[in-house]
């Protein structure tokens, strides 16, 4: 399967060759290395709050900084399009260690306001000072909805995306900042995000993770199987597992959309490219920076270089036997959980009528 079977988490090189290869750019790594070294500190705090406090620990920031596709793309967007940044006021939403703020400062920004809610803001201040940018970067500790800026900003930069694009994301926070602080005709980095769906063969892994519960040392534990089916799996999918085309579910224009646009129902049609079995659907996303001199961005798809977002696997209750040219059709409904808007509820309705089987089913998933 090409996967580490113990690598589940709660929830690259681009598929689209219109994107520049972020790894091939000959840009310096001094700031990334400096930040990674400075953030590698022990922290004896515990997570009182699941989301914000989780970003107080250096480990999650180390993982993101070492995601070369992610970090190099932002670096290249800013350095290779410095004409967009020079002399401008920038707001970094969810600044973390301050790496994006440092990129902007080095590219000639007039001033950067780095807003970070977690305790990592304290580390970000030290990092900014250690790198000599205290006169350009102001680190503000707090929620974007509660802080005040002295001026409007020309650019908002943020790495807001979560697993499945929308799980535990900061999109609503970015949209709030856009509406309150961005000047008219200002720029949001990135400004486009697209969610895709494809289908895979995954017999071995499904047997190991799902069917396992049917018979555990001679005992029926299938009640856990039902729970396992409801929870999407975040993992790396081997491109050789892909059976169908990829279907674009949703494209979001971050410069224009409203918070409600992140909840949607979208149709899909997945056409088999070979004879095989289908055990799961897989979701992934692309982001793009369309205001650049040349289109830049990255994909988190299974045909792209791995990122820390990996892909999101939704197992089907049915094993579908499909022949080349046959299609699974359906709709996917994505909505914020009412109790916790950072969680995602997914409803999948699909049908298939092929040479070897006929299926029609509705399944619900919860990303928690």
């Amino acid at each position: 399967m090409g996967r580490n079977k113990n690598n589940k988490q709660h929830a690259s090189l681009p598929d689209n060759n219109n994107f520049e290869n972020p790894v091939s750019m000959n840009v310096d790594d001094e700031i990334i290395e400096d930040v990674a070294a400075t953030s590698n500190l022990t922290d004896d705090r515990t997570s009182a709050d699941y989301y914000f406090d989780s970003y107080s620990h250096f480990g999650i920031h180390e993982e993101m900084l070492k995601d070369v596709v992610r970090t190099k793309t932002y670096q290249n967007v800013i350095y290779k399009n410095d004409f967009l940044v020079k002399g401008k006021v920038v707001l970094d939403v969810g600044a973390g260690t301050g790496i994006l703020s440092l990129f902007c400062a080095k590219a000639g920004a007039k001033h950067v306001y780095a807003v970070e809610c977690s305790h990592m803001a304290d580390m970000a201040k030290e990092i900014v000072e250690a790198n000599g940018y205290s006169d350009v970067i102001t680190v503000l500790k707090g929620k974007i909805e509660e802080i005040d800026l002295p001026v409007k900003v020309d650019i908002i930069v943020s790495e807001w995306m979560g697993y499945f694009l929308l799980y535990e994301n900061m999109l609503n926070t970015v949209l709030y900042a856009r509406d309150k602080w961005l000047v008219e005709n200002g720029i949001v980095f990135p400004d486009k995000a697209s969610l895709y769906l494809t289908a895979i063969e995954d017999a071995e892994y499904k047997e190991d993770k799902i069917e396992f519960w049917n018979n555990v040392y001679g005992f029926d534990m299938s009640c856990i199987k039902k729970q396992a089916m409801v929870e999407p799996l975040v993992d790396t999918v081997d491109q050789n597992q892909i059976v169908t085309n990829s279907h674009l579910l949703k494209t979001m224009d971050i410069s224009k959309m409203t918070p409600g646009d992140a909840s949607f129902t979208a149709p899909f049609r997945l056409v088999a490219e070979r004879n095989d079995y289908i055990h799961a659907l897989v979701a992934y996303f692309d982001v793009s920076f369309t205001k650049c001199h040349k289109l830049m961005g990255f994909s988190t798809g299974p045909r792209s270089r791995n990122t820390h977002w990996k892909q999101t696997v939704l197992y089907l209750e049915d094993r579908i036997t499909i022949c080349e040219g046959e299609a699974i059709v359906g709709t996917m409904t994505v909505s914020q959980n009412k109790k916790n808007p950072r969680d995602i509820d997914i409803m999948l309705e699909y049908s298939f009528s092929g040479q070897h089987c006929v299926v029609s089913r509705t399944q619900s998933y919860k990303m928690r």
Side-chain angles (χ1 to χ4, degrees):
M1 293 294 98
R3 303 203 245 159
N4 178 350
K5 295 189 177 182
N6 295 312
N7 204 23
K8 182 181 176 185
Q9 301 186 16
H10 70 270
S12 7
L13 293 178
D15 292 343
N16 186 338
N17 289 329
N18 291 328
F19 292 150
E20 289 194 25
N21 177 351
V23 186
S24 67
M25 301 301 172
N26 186 22
V27 292
D28 68 82
D29 297 323
E30 294 172 2
I31 290 180
I32 295 177
E33 292 173 354
D34 231 358
V35 172
T38 309
S39 64
N40 190 24
L41 303 171
T42 58
D43 186 347
D44 57 5
R45 287 184 291 265
T46 59
S47 292
D49 178 89
Y50 178 78
Y51 181 74
F52 289 114
D53 274 10
S54 68
Y55 283 88
S56 298
H57 301 284
F58 72 88
I60 193 169
H61 295 281
E62 180 180 1
E63 180 185 30
M64 291 188 291
L65 289 167
K66 288 180 176 178
D67 183 339
V68 176
V69 173
R70 164 200 179 269
T71 309
K72 277 287 192 181
T73 298
Y74 277 90
Q75 186 184 44
N76 291 328
V77 163
I78 294 166
Y79 285 3
K80 298 180 77 65
N81 297 274
D82 56 359
F83 66 94
L84 295 173
V85 179
K86 281 183 179 178
K88 300 297 176 62
V89 179
V90 179
L91 173 59
D92 182 357
V93 178
T97 59
I99 185 66
L100 303 186
S101 297
L102 290 164
F103 289 159
C104 291
K106 188 169 183 177
K110 178 181 179 181
H111 203 86
V112 183
Y113 295 96
V115 179
E116 173 57 41
C117 189
S118 78
H119 292 297
M120 187 54 66
D122 301 324
M123 290 291 97
K125 289 180 182 179
E126 291 189 35
I127 291 167
V128 167
E129 184 176 349
N131 286 276
Y133 285 105
S134 296
D135 57 335
V136 179
I137 301 173
T138 300
V139 178
L140 300 172
K141 186 177 182 179
K143 295 181 180 180
I144 197 74
E145 295 85 355
E146 298 172 356
I147 60 100
D148 283 317
L149 300 179
V151 294
K152 293 269 190 175
V153 303
D154 304 296
I155 299 171
I156 291 176
V157 61
S158 181
E159 193 273 85
W160 57 265
M161 301 78 72
Y163 298 122
F164 189 73
L165 182 62
L166 297 170
Y167 174 62
E168 286 199 339
N169 71 87
M170 295 191 304
L171 177 57
N172 285 354
T173 300
V174 172
L175 299 183
Y176 179 93
R178 179 201 67 187
D179 293 342
K180 186 169 184 179
W181 297 114
L182 190 64
V183 300
E184 186 175 356
N185 298 319
I187 297 173
V188 181
F189 281 159
D191 59 326
K192 294 285 177 66
S194 298
L195 186 66
Y196 291 86
L197 193 67
T198 189
I200 62 168
E201 179 281 323
D202 206 15
E204 181 182 349
Y205 202 69
K206 186 180 180 185
E207 180 70 26
D208 181 64
K209 303 298 291 188
I210 305 294
E211 305 302 335
F212 163 79
W213 298 107
N214 288 331
N215 186 336
V216 182
Y217 297 98
F219 296 97
D220 182 352
M221 297 189 181
S222 57
C223 58
I224 297 179
K225 171 183 173 180
K226 295 175 183 177
Q227 181 62 36
M229 287 290 294
V230 167
E231 182 181 344
L233 182 75
V234 175
D235 207 345
T236 302
V237 173
D238 190 318
Q239 63 176 322
N240 294 322
Q241 296 175 253
I242 300 171
V243 178
T244 70
N245 64 306
S246 291
H247 186 100
L248 173 63
L249 290 172
K250 178 78 171 180
T251 294
M252 294 183 290
D253 185 338
I254 316 305
S255 62
K256 298 177 181 178
M257 68 178 291
T258 66
D261 293 337
S263 296
F264 60 90
T265 298
F268 63 85
R269 178 181 173 85
L270 301 175
V271 181
E273 297 175 344
R274 65 173 187 257
N275 299 343
D276 212 328
Y277 299 104
I278 289 175
H279 300 90
L281 302 188
V282 173
Y284 63 93
F285 64 89
D286 295 356
V287 295
S288 53
F289 302 75
T290 69
K291 304 301 183 183
C292 298
H293 177 68
K294 180 178 180 180
L295 178 65
M296 301 181 76
F298 61 85
S299 174
T300 64
R303 288 192 171 96
S304 303
R305 179 168 175 163
N306 292 341
T307 71
H308 76 281
W309 288 286
K310 305 177 184 178
Q311 293 88 41
T312 303
V313 181
L314 300 94
Y315 284 110
L316 304 179
E317 292 185 24
D318 306 283
R319 183 190 70 175
I320 297 175
T321 306
I322 198 167
C323 297
E324 183 177 354
E326 295 179 342
I328 302 171
V329 296
T331 60
M332 176 177 282
T333 299
V334 178
S335 58
Q336 293 179 326
N337 180 261
K338 293 180 181 179
K339 291 184 179 179
N340 185 351
R342 293 188 184 276
D343 292 345
I344 295 294
D345 295 329
I346 304 167
M347 184 173 70
L348 184 67
E349 298 181 59
Y350 63 93
S351 61
F352 174 75
S353 181
Q355 180 179 343
H356 298 290
C357 67
V358 176
V359 174
S360 181
R361 191 179 296 276
T362 299
Q363 290 184 232
S364 295
Y365 304 86
K366 301 180 185 297
M367 296 195 75
R368 300 288 187 267

